[in-house]
Amino acid sequence: MRMNDGCADPHGRFWADSMAYDGTPDAGSLYRGPAWSGAVTRVFEGITIPNGPAFDRDGTTMYPADSARGPARPHSADPRDGGLGAGEESVRVDDGSPDGMTVDAEGALWTAVWGAGEVRRYLPDGTLGTVLRLPETQPAGICLGGDDGSTLYVTTARVGLPEPGPLDGAVFRARVEVPGLPTAAYRSTEA
């Protein structure tokens, strides 16, 4: 097993997901680390290739993805204890795999689409809003940053490519209209 992705939510809790090195179906889990309670909790299991999660501005919606299956299912998140509601499929990726994700200031989900050479912006209702094409097929990680939060940074990967090109494994950037959210910080004690 190995850890794959993680982030802090706006309330200071750390979330991280695990998967099998060989991609064994359903072997992965999502964990919620302590903000101030001191306990790590397995939130759900049965994930094959977990990515994300990403959170909205107030931490009441969490987007995890299982890249092996394609959907990103938003879950309601309780700001008090990090408990999650049932996820509903709203973002379906059929021509690639959702990978790195972030949420912008309007609550739209941005996701790198591994295998499709795209980064997509989905509106809060799941409607596809923006598609950015990349010259490489394996975008992996994304974030919104820069001085005004309106620069999208995209990393690409070389892993698994029989003949990687000169830009596989590079970092790209593009200007976008809606800025990202400030990065949430992990807090080991209650604020």
Side-chain angles (χ1 to χ4, degrees), residues 3 7-8 14 29 39 45 57 63-64 73 93-94 101-102 107 113 127 131 148 150-151 173 187:
M3 302 309 288
C7 71
F14 189 73
S29 297
E45 55 193 337
R57 180 184 303 277
Y63 293 90
R73 302 174 191 267
V93 178
D94 293 318
M101 299 183 292
T102 192
V113 184
T127 303
V131 177
D148 61 358
S150 294
T151 301
R173 70 176 181 217
R187 292 192 309 269

Side-chain angles (χ1 to χ4, degrees), residues 23 25-26 47-51 65-71 92 96-98:
D26 302 326
I47 310 165
T48 301
I49 303 174
N51 274 293
D66 187 340
S67 296
R69 292 188 174 92
R92 181 85 194 161
S97 301

Side-chain angles (χ1 to χ4, degrees), residues 29-190:
S29 297
L30 175 68
Y31 299 91
R32 181 182 61 237
W36 48 85
S37 68
V40 173
T41 303
R42 181 182 296 181
V43 179
F44 53 79
E45 55 193 337
I47 310 165
T48 301
I49 303 174
N51 274 293
F55 288 88
D56 67 354
R57 180 184 303 277
D58 58 8
T60 59
T61 301
M62 180 193 68
Y63 293 90
D66 187 340
S67 296
R69 292 188 174 92
R73 302 174 191 267
H75 291 259
S76 62
D78 188 324
R80 294 167 294 159
D81 63 9
L84 298 178
E88 296 182 19
E89 185 173 318
S90 70
V91 174
R92 181 85 194 161
V93 178
D94 293 318
D95 57 339
S97 301
D99 204 322
M101 299 183 292
T102 192
V103 177
D104 67 25
E106 291 182 349
L109 176 71
W110 288 86
T111 183
V113 184
W114 180 279
E118 296 178 349
V119 175
R120 299 178 187 162
R121 180 180 187 255
Y122 291 92
L123 304 177
D125 68 359
T127 303
L128 180 61
T130 303
V131 177
L132 299 175
R133 286 282 309 144
L134 298 170
E136 305 306 324
T137 61
Q138 296 184 159
I142 62 172
C143 70
L144 288 162
D147 292 341
D148 61 358
S150 294
T151 301
L152 177 70
Y153 294 93
V154 183
T155 62
T156 62
R158 299 172 62 89
V159 65
L161 294 173
E163 296 181 31
L167 296 177
D168 289 308
V171 178
F172 296 88
R173 70 176 181 217
R175 295 291 294 166
V176 296
E177 293 180 19
V178 180
L181 300 172
T183 300
Y186 167 73
R187 292 192 309 269
S188 60
T189 59
E190 188 170 5

